[in-house]
Amino acid sequence: MQPVVQFRNVNKYYGSSVAVDNLDLSIEPGQFVTLLGPSGCGKSTTLRMLGGFETPTSGEIYLDGKEISRLPPNKRNVNIVFQDYALFPHLSVRRNVAFGLELKGLASETIHKRTMELLSLVRLQEFADRMPAQLSGGQRQRVALMRALAPNPNVLLLDEPLSALDAKLRQQMQVELKSIQQTTGKTFIFVTHDQEEALTMSDVIVVMNSGRIEQMGDPHTLYSRPRSRFVANFIGESNFIEGTLKGTKGGLAAIEWNGSIVHAGLNGHDLQIGSRVAVALRPEAVSVFASKPVEKLAFEGRITQRLFKGDHTSLTIELPNGQAIVAQLDPVALSQITDDRVWIGWREEDAVALAD
Amino acid sequence: MRHYFSDAPKTALQASYWVFVIYLLLPLTLMMAMSFKDANFIAFPIGDWTLGWYAKVVQDKQFLEASGYSIFIALMTTIFATIMGVWIALLISAEGIWGRAAIFAFACLPAVVPGLINAISMRIFIRVLDIPTGTGAIILGHTVHAVPFVVIMVLTRLRSMPNNLIDAARDLGADSFIAFIRITIPFLAPALVGGMIFCVLTSIDDFVRTFFLGGYQPTLPMLIFAKVQGGMSPEINAMATLVLIVTAAVGLYAEHFTRRSRT
Amino acid sequence: MVDSSMTETRASAPRAGPAYAGWIGKVTASGLYSATIGLVANSARAKLVLLLAVPLAWIVLLHVGPIYQMARISFLDNYPPAAEGPIHTLGNYRLFFQEPLYFLPFVRSLIFAAVVTVAALVVTYPVAYYVAKIIKPQNRTRALLLLLIPFWAGELIRTFSVIMLLANRGAVNVLLREIGFIDRPIPLLYNYFSLSFGVIYLLALYMLLPLYSAIEKIPPQLIDAAADLGAGPFQRFRRVILPLSKDGIVSGCSLVYLTSIGVFAAPLLLGGPNSVIFPEIIASLFHGSSDKWPEGAAFSILMLAVSLSTVGLFMRVAGGRSVRLM
């Protein structure tokens, strides 16, 4: 299938600072793609280049196979939902949604019909004649979404559109966005720094850092098989233990750490024997025992902090070598732990060996 | 700068800016250049240059007296207008006072009424009250004109004052008067300085009010006006240039001061 | 100063007041001061009266008073009134409508002010837009300052400087003659051209500043959003920038219109016999003896009423909610 969006060797410099560094990216049609990364990682610049608000310093951007790198925004068949919605304060909800249709020179009945259709999709028909200032944050968000969808773009861009909403509303909107994407079948490119948002909604997540793509894949792969420390740390939480790679066998790496040999998934990485490596370990993959288990490798430590999180409790366990490991325990597992002196262990396949 | 604007409109806008700058600065530049003309009449080209007119002007008793008179009037105006302006602004910003919008509207009235009518109504007013034309009448006219601007500047500043500053001062043991002197006045300082400089400049500039309210002693604008009507020579240009340099320096300082205090 | 709590009692309780150095200390140490403060702080009413009385008296007496006196005199047949008592009449107003010598300059003045206002808007809008949206923010202050400098020169000096440009032996005519474009000077001065040139020169800032502050407030994302939805440069201007700068346009136009209707020095220095506008007529009625004062007052009232109601109507039609004076 031809990719709907393609970046080829795209660079963007602001003076001497690099915003986007040699980006190559293909996006398949009909997918919900999230660009995820910390602020300043180049995700917004990438989106703005696709929207036409920035021009690449070098490289090309293709939309449906046509080069669009230097077209102004009004000549591109993509539309954007802005972070703060950018609703026109002087126009009613209806006129906001109709804005792009009016510029296409459509007949006014057609515009009216399509506008009301879109507004009913997000249950805002009754609000058609209100002004943006009279709407709640969530309603504004939905108007902005429908305004961008109205001209029927090939690709819809969303620039951190949920960041201004409170937590509850944000979760509702995540579900709603995903379902609108599925009903319309359009390609959504969503920019966020919120990993939870990315995991919830995306078909594909593109993790970016310092203007480059760190890793791209479906949410599950990214979470369970991060390819770098950055990804392991940015998506979800990870413990890192650092040691020397002693050998590899059958997709498992053997690493010398804390006087023992521990094993971790190799994850297809090409690591040099004898080099320093990091093992990423999710807190929920750490098992905590009240007494030293017989058949398993386990390390003794002391609980230094307990943080109650509602459905689980987060324990910080300090090992004799000074390393702190965070473990997540459900109430049943927690009830077994009576003393601060504990032993921790994990399944080899839950740990991932990464270049340090 | 938004890059996706094609360059043509941007260049056109830039050109309009520079044409406008030239439109604003050219007449004044010509006026200043003419003050160096070594001849008794105003005409281009300038030909021979001289500093003679300046030498004449700085020794001109009429000019010096008019300058002193203008400055005196401006200072008086500033004192009265600042006090009244702050007082009215405090009244309007006070809570629990009925009809604040109306008070504000009437406080702004002299700024909205066209200058000529303002001057004429004041002329009639002082005559009804049997106040003679002259210094007092001019100061009164200038003060009434300046008060609305002080009110607006002070109100704008007061609106940005956190409510709890006064409460904090009271909590720490200050009474109303001390809280006012130690908290409100320093907080208002930038607006006060801006307002005072505005008062000075508008008073020194004023022509129409002085024209109707003045006595026999001319202020600077009256003197320049009389000289222009009496036949023009580069002496006027030298006078005007000196006045311009001083007022522009004061204005530039005011701009600098208010900008600095804003950040 | 005004404390919103109306149940102030603390100041009356004996307490060791903080010792202040300098004049504040001297003032606060005096018995009169504590008596006054005690009185004021204990009584919300006293506080209110102190705050209210002087400014209200000032506004009523000096802001409203002169206009009221002007209105009163406009209904007298003679001023000062004859010894047997004032005679009230509408004759001064009737005269205005009967005498084309008064009526026509008045209409000319209104048209003149409207033309000047529109011209100032057209001339300054692109400039304001350029400074507010195109110049890099760090250069904006300097660009604005360059526009402000001329306005620190007084009204009269600026009017006078226009003569340098437009006189028969002024810069424009001399230049045109030098390059052989004309033989005889074009009469640029003492007509409507020089008058409007001068008045726009005087008042452009009153248009520019409100426009600038309105345009500067338009969020750039709205312009992005319009472009994103398919609006080219013209449509962006017409559908987003222009409507969103409406407040600035309304403020600027109101200010320039009201000011240009009452210009006085400019017509005296730049106007000619063919460009007599109403302010000159009114002023002439106050020269010398005062026997024409009632007429002058009546004409002033008419001018004030018409100009304020024109602006009021304009603001209502244009729908500007708040007009900033500065």
Side-chain angles (χ1 to χ4, degrees), chain C residues 160-200:
Chain C
F160 173 64
S161 74
V162 169
I163 298 176
M164 301 297 115
L165 195 65
L166 300 182
N168 280 353
R169 296 189 63 184
V172 172
N173 273 316
V174 169
L175 185 73
L176 289 179
R177 203 157 39 176
E178 281 299 308
I179 59 173
F181 201 73
I182 50 169
D183 300 328
R184 252 182 288 162
I186 318 167
L188 296 172
L189 206 52
Y190 309 125
N191 51 33
Y192 277 118
F193 173 76
S194 57
L195 188 53
S196 17
F197 186 97
V199 173
I200 294 173

Side-chain angles (χ1 to χ4, degrees), chain A residues 106 110 265 296:
Chain A
L106 301 179
T110 322
K296 274 188 169 173

